[in-house]
Amino acid sequence: MEYQGNWQHNFIDNNGVKIHYVTQGEGKLMLMLHGFPAFWYSWRHQIPEFSENYKVVAVDLRGHNDSDKPKNKNAYRVEDAISDVKAVIEGLGFESCVLVGHNRGGAVAWEFAYTHPEMVEQLIVMNAPHLAKIISALRTPQQLLRSWYFFLFQLPWLPEALFRRSDYQFLKGGFTNFVVDKDVFSATDLEIYKEAAAKPGALTAMVNWYRNFFQSWLLDRGWGVLKVPTLMIWGEEDAALGKELVAGTENYVENLTVRYVPGRQADWRISTRFSSRSRKYRFCDSSSKSQPGQIGTTTPTSDRPLARQALHRRL
């Protein structure tokens, strides 16, 4: 199925693994990392919006859509994801980027920013807790229940069978069952996501990320304080990740702004798009000084009008 837009498609090779991406615009690099079980298409509204000021690049993470899908389960560890992001930035001829991550892509963004802070001018994460927070939260009954799928995805073959069952209704339900506005995802959108997941090897590759979570992603690394200016956008009613995961993030990030969005709007299931008004608050302007409403302030309280201005159109 073709996706209409002015973006261009290309690949970057990372040690034999081809990473597919789409790009539009010129300027500083803004690199976007999608969540599960999506692919670059989930950024289709943001790409043209920010291409007015940036070279926007939205990748397919390894294992997703048109990127390569290594068969080895251990090819989806933290170090592999970090290596892919680094290869994309350097392969495009840049030394640094504004890094945007959503959901599982946000976990990749956190890890990359800690490993290569010199390559991240600013970090923007949407409903993606700091890894130290999720590690701690998984010791509580509440988050264990919310994260039931972490454990389901450890099983062999069963998750893939569930996704395929009844024309991928399990996958489609992952998008539609948690939406307030039932018109967020059209039938065409759901078919596009289904086609990406149905590509040979894709389902197993996508789930293999989770099969490495406990052995790789959820290891305590003795987190220091990240000095990269960071904007954290959080849907207040995310069914999988509790709002309490945001509290305390300022202990790990020196220069943090938190914006809450009412409902689950920052969650990938009903994610909203950055509007041009976000530039008013200079969320993506590394030259801006820290002022209220800009990166540089920690805002642990709900700011509904600003959240609606910064993100108002659903994916």
Side-chain angles (χ1 to χ4, degrees), residues 230-242:
T230 302
L231 169 63
M232 198 173 190
I233 302 172
W234 198 272
E236 294 179 304
E237 298 176 22
D238 188 327
L241 299 167

Side-chain angles (χ1 to χ4, degrees), residues 5 10 30-31 59 62 66-67 75 78 114 123 132 137 160 174 180 195 201 230 239 280 294 307 312:
N10 214 328
M30 176 178 282
L31 183 59
V59 303
R62 63 167 56 202
D66 289 329
S67 286
V78 169
Y114 265 94
L123 175 65
E160 291 93 323
V180 176
E195 288 185 2
T230 302
K280 173 181 177 182
Q294 298 178 7
H312 70 79

Side-chain angles (χ1 to χ4, degrees), residues 58 81 97 112 161 167 171 184 256 289 313:
C97 70
F112 186 83
D167 193 32
L171 180 139
V184 167
L256 176 69
K289 296 181 180 179
R313 180 176 174 183

Side-chain angles (χ1 to χ4, degrees), residues 151-211:
F151 303 94
L152 170 65
F153 291 166
Q154 303 308 306
L155 300 174
W157 66 262
L158 181 59
E160 291 93 323
L162 286 173
F163 276 116
R164 293 190 185 99
R165 185 173 177 266
S166 301
D167 193 32
Y168 289 79
Q169 286 305 311
F170 186 70
L171 180 139
K172 294 175 183 177
F175 290 96
T176 60
N177 290 344
F178 298 90
V179 241
V180 176
D181 182 353
K182 298 299 181 182
D183 295 327
V184 167
F185 296 107
S186 68
T188 299
D189 290 333
L190 296 176
E191 191 64 21
I192 286 171
Y193 283 118
K194 169 197 157 183
E195 288 185 2
K199 291 181 179 181
L203 277 178
T204 295
M206 290 157 60
V207 176
N208 277 345
W209 283 76
Y210 286 98
R211 290 176 175 137

